[in-house]
Amino acid sequence: MYIRQYAAEPALEVYLLVDVSGTMDYAGNGPQSKFILAARIAAALAYLMIHQGDKVSLVLFSEQLKQFLPPGGTRRHLHQLVRELEAVQPAFGTGIADALAECDQLFKKRGKLVVLSDFWDDSEKTFEALSRFLHRKFEILLLPVTHPHEMDLPPVNAARFHDLE
């Protein structure tokens, strides 16, 4: 006789925070903006998490919370998440710390926190806001989305630079 014992793992909650500030609309000379790249990464992560039985939540933020989609783990929820990502237009300034402070009240259950942003904000305030989630034993993953022009300016003789925010 054999006895099998299984330890069922509860569904993990993954909170995807996607920056929709004006700086995320930068595309350089290419066809794809930083926001489009972040949205595709968020959609792929959501698909993978839901496929393995976890629940995914979506938060779109700029200076404050713009959209909150509560955790869900169905195919219908995934389609709604993708529709939300397709419908948003990046605008306004960046306020990662303020958005995280608002999320602190919304996220009831411990889980994984994934932030997709260009992180053009005060890093000290951002890490202070993230420390609240660390204290609550969240796993945190920061995914910076940048464009090569942000590291090295494009080779031009004269240019006028305009802040997207």
Side-chain angles (χ1 to χ4, degrees), residues 26-95:
Y26 183 73
N29 298 331
Q32 178 173 290
S33 69
K34 293 187 299 183
F35 171 72
I36 297 292
L37 179 61
R40 287 180 179 173
I41 292 170
L45 287 173
Y47 171 79
L48 292 172
M49 294 297 125
I50 288 174
H51 186 69
Q52 70 182 17
D54 296 330
K55 293 183 177 183
V56 179
S57 174
L58 177 68
V59 174
L60 302 175
F61 71 92
S62 59
E63 295 168 323
Q64 60 186 4
L65 234 66
K66 297 295 181 191
Q67 181 72 25
F68 173 66
L69 191 61
T74 63
R75 186 178 296 269
R76 172 178 274 160
H77 182 75
L78 177 64
H79 289 297
Q80 184 180 1
L81 188 142
V82 171
R83 278 194 304 274
E84 293 293 336
L85 286 169
E86 288 176 341
V88 72
Q89 181 63 37
F92 306 108
T94 305

Side-chain angles (χ1 to χ4, degrees), residues 14 29-30 39-40 49 61 65 82 91 107 113 126 132 135 137 153 156:
V14 179
N29 298 331
R40 287 180 179 173
M49 294 297 125
F61 71 92
L65 234 66
V82 171
F107 300 165
L113 185 69
T126 301
R132 295 184 202 136
H135 180 71
K137 306 252 189 279
L153 293 176
V156 293

Side-chain angles (χ1 to χ4, degrees), residues 2 6 10 13 21 24 37 40 54 78 82-83 87-88 94 108 119 123 125 128 131 148 151 153 163:
Y2 294 95
Y6 294 97
E13 291 198 7
S21 64
M24 293 294 287
L37 179 61
R40 287 180 179 173
D54 296 330
L78 177 64
V82 171
R83 278 194 304 274
V88 72
T94 305
K108 305 290 184 204
F119 295 99
S123 59
K125 286 183 182 178
E128 185 178 317
S131 69
M151 300 303 152
L153 293 176
D163 184 6

Side-chain angles (χ1 to χ4, degrees), residues 93-108:
T94 305
I96 301 171
D98 296 335
L100 286 168
E102 289 183 61
C103 290
D104 192 30
Q105 303 299 319
L106 291 174
F107 300 165
K108 305 290 184 204

Side-chain angles (χ1 to χ4, degrees), residues 101-146:
E102 289 183 61
C103 290
D104 192 30
Q105 303 299 319
L106 291 174
F107 300 165
K108 305 290 184 204
K109 197 173 174 186
R110 186 178 73 207
K112 289 188 184 216
L113 185 69
V114 181
V115 183
L116 294 122
S117 175
D118 54 10
F119 295 99
W120 289 112
D121 199 10
D122 184 0
S123 59
E124 188 174 318
K125 286 183 182 178
T126 301
F127 286 118
E128 185 178 317
L130 286 169
S131 69
R132 295 184 202 136
F133 292 98
L134 281 175
H135 180 71
R136 291 175 53 197
K137 306 252 189 279
F138 274 73
E139 291 183 40
I140 298 174
L141 179 63
L142 304 177
L143 296 174
V145 181
T146 60

